[in-house]
Amino acid sequence: MFTEIGPWLDTRTGRADDWPPEAVLAAKGNHTVSVVLPARDEERTVGQIVGRIRRELQERFPLVDELVVVDSCSTDATARVAADAGARVIHQDAVLSRYGALPGKGDALWKALAVTTGDLVVFIDADLRNFGTHFVTGLLGPLVSDPSVVYVKGSYDRPLADGAATQPHGGGRVTELVARPLINLHWPALAGFIQPLAGEYAGRRTVLERVPFVTGYGVELALLVDLFDMAGLSALAQVDLGVRVHSHQTIEELGRMAGHIMLTAWSRLKREGRIVAADRPQNRMLQFCHVGNGRTLRVSDVGVHERPPLITVPEYATASRLAPQREQ
Ligand SMILES: O=c1ccn([C@@H]2O[C@H](COP(=O)(O)OP(=O)(O)O[C@H]3O[C@H](CO)[C@@H](O)[C@H](O)[C@H]3O)[C@@H](O)[C@H]2O)c(=O)[nH]1
Ligand SMILES: O=C(O)[C@H](O)COP(=O)(O)O
């Protein structure tokens, strides 16, 4: 296994510093770029991220052709803040509504892919507290410079900020305790991805529209496994984006995220015929949540659904013919 990963790490791991905006612009050619931010209740951070992309990657360097925030059923002012900062805002449930509403991040990304037109699509989480434009340019670099690369994941150091205390490498708890062990057990060829759950990644539309999108927090693991199956390891790359600081979820929320990841892994193992199950795992999770000095029982549905590859959706197939300058 390591004989495959070593050369991959050497040839397919880059650094954002190698891709300043001038260099990406020079290599951009006829590509068109869409940047998508999925956002649920991110009024505190989304405006700043959108504003920087607009000023630095649209007005100063004409790199980003389309900047879209998907409002993922927010209950705060996310949509207004994002629009005021200059993004086009779409509401998750308003897109392809005849296919019904499904909650969660994966569905927000599927809907975003449906309404954008760039032949390169960059996804950036909207809860980043230390966003810099190198997140976008670093992810685009390998795609604009090497036609054999189809998908690029961000990697970074992940501090865990807990009040005043910060552990420099304590973040990414679901990654370290759930995703990395699962990947090493079942997809060892993918073990070289430093941040397999990173929410910052970019891909060619020609591949993104051909894979299913898992809803909820299963979307990143599913994309990695499915794009690996479709295109092979050498078509996947990663770029070091430095440090990522974001809003941490509670441990109970991360427990439910872990449920999404495990069920997603199960779905891929089953599809690949690598497990033969008498039963489906059940989707309910019972948790003991702390409230004040006591505990309360909470039952959640951690099941994930799957949206079909967009290329198979008639509305998308028709609309996509209008897209400017698709894959070269
Ligand atoms: O229903 C939702 C939930 C989240 N988000 C947005 O998705 C992004 C990431 O969500 P977050 O809850 O901050 O996830 P993290 O705790 O940061 O989880 C990490 O791990 C997840 C599982 O792989 C990935 O989806 C995330 O991108 C990655 O940052 C943020 O912009 C959210 O606003 C939505 O759009 N809809
Ligand atoms: O990616 C992860 O592992 C989860 O988002 C948890 O991240 P955190 O431990 O930094 O909150």
Side-chain angles (χ1 to χ4, degrees), residues 12-287:
R12 290 301 194 208
T13 303
R15 291 177 333 132
D17 292 352
D18 296 336
W19 292 105
E22 296 88 341
V24 182
L25 193 55
K28 185 182 171 199
N30 290 328
H31 286 293
T32 49
V33 174
S34 303
V35 172
V36 167
L37 277 71
R40 183 188 60 186
D41 295 336
E42 307 290 8
E43 64 181 9
R44 282 174 306 167
T45 43
V46 72
Q48 208 184 37
I49 301 173
V50 167
R52 284 200 70 176
I53 294 174
R54 257 203 94 72
R55 283 190 305 278
E56 293 171 40
L57 299 182
Q58 292 196 305
E59 290 161 11
R60 182 154 177 233
F61 297 100
L63 248 177
V64 172
D65 300 288
E66 189 175 34
L67 175 54
V68 169
V69 169
V70 194
D71 179 19
S72 184
C73 311
S74 297
T75 55
D76 70 1
T78 292
R80 182 180 51 73
V81 171
D84 287 353
R88 174 179 156 215
V89 177
I90 60 157
H91 296 274
Q92 180 168 338
D93 292 347
V95 178
L96 296 177
S97 47
R98 93 175 164 94
Y99 296 94
L102 289 173
K105 181 185 176 187
D107 204 48
L109 299 188
W110 188 72
K111 301 288 181 70
L113 192 61
V115 299
T116 51
T117 60
D119 66 82
L120 304 180
V121 187
V122 184
F123 298 99
I124 301 285
D125 279 356
D127 68 330
L128 297 187
R129 294 184 176 180
N130 68 334
F131 175 78
T133 51
H134 64 287
F135 277 83
V136 177
T137 52
L139 292 169
L140 283 172
L143 291 170
V144 294
S145 62
D146 185 345
S148 68
V149 173
V150 303
Y151 186 66
V152 183
K153 284 276 320 183
S155 77
Y156 24 63
D157 290 340
R158 300 189 61 166
L160 178 66
D162 181 11
T166 299
Q167 294 176 43
H169 307 291
R173 291 163 288 175
V174 177
T175 302
E176 299 307 333
L177 299 175
V178 181
R180 200 180 307 287
L182 276 173
I183 287 170
N184 274 273
L185 285 172
H186 300 298
W187 295 278
L190 296 175
F193 279 93
I194 297 165
Q195 293 297 341
L197 299 189
E200 294 72 30
Y201 42 91
R204 295 187 195 278
R205 180 174 295 272
T206 46
V207 295
L208 294 171
E209 67 192 3
R210 286 179 167 75
V211 286
F213 272 58
V214 165
T215 61
Y217 290 113
V219 63
E220 278 78 25
L221 179 63
L223 282 174
L224 201 56
V225 169
D226 293 354
L227 290 170
F228 168 61
D229 283 350
M230 177 189 282
L233 187 61
S234 62
L236 314 181
Q238 65 185 343
V239 169
D240 185 351
L241 303 173
V243 177
R244 175 184 192 263
V245 182
H246 75 131
S247 313
H248 298 288
Q249 301 199 50
T250 64
I251 200 74
E252 285 91 4
E253 287 167 324
L254 294 183
R256 298 193 284 279
M257 178 189 287
H260 289 189
I261 307 279
M262 286 190 245
L263 285 169
T264 300
W266 190 90
S267 72
R268 269 49 197 160
L269 290 169
K270 181 144 188 306
R271 187 189 65 193
E272 292 168 12
R274 295 167 65 197
I275 48 176
V276 181
D279 254 343
R280 284 182 55 79
Q282 60 110 6
N283 293 342
R284 270 175 302 121
M285 182 180 284
L286 175 66
Q287 291 177 302

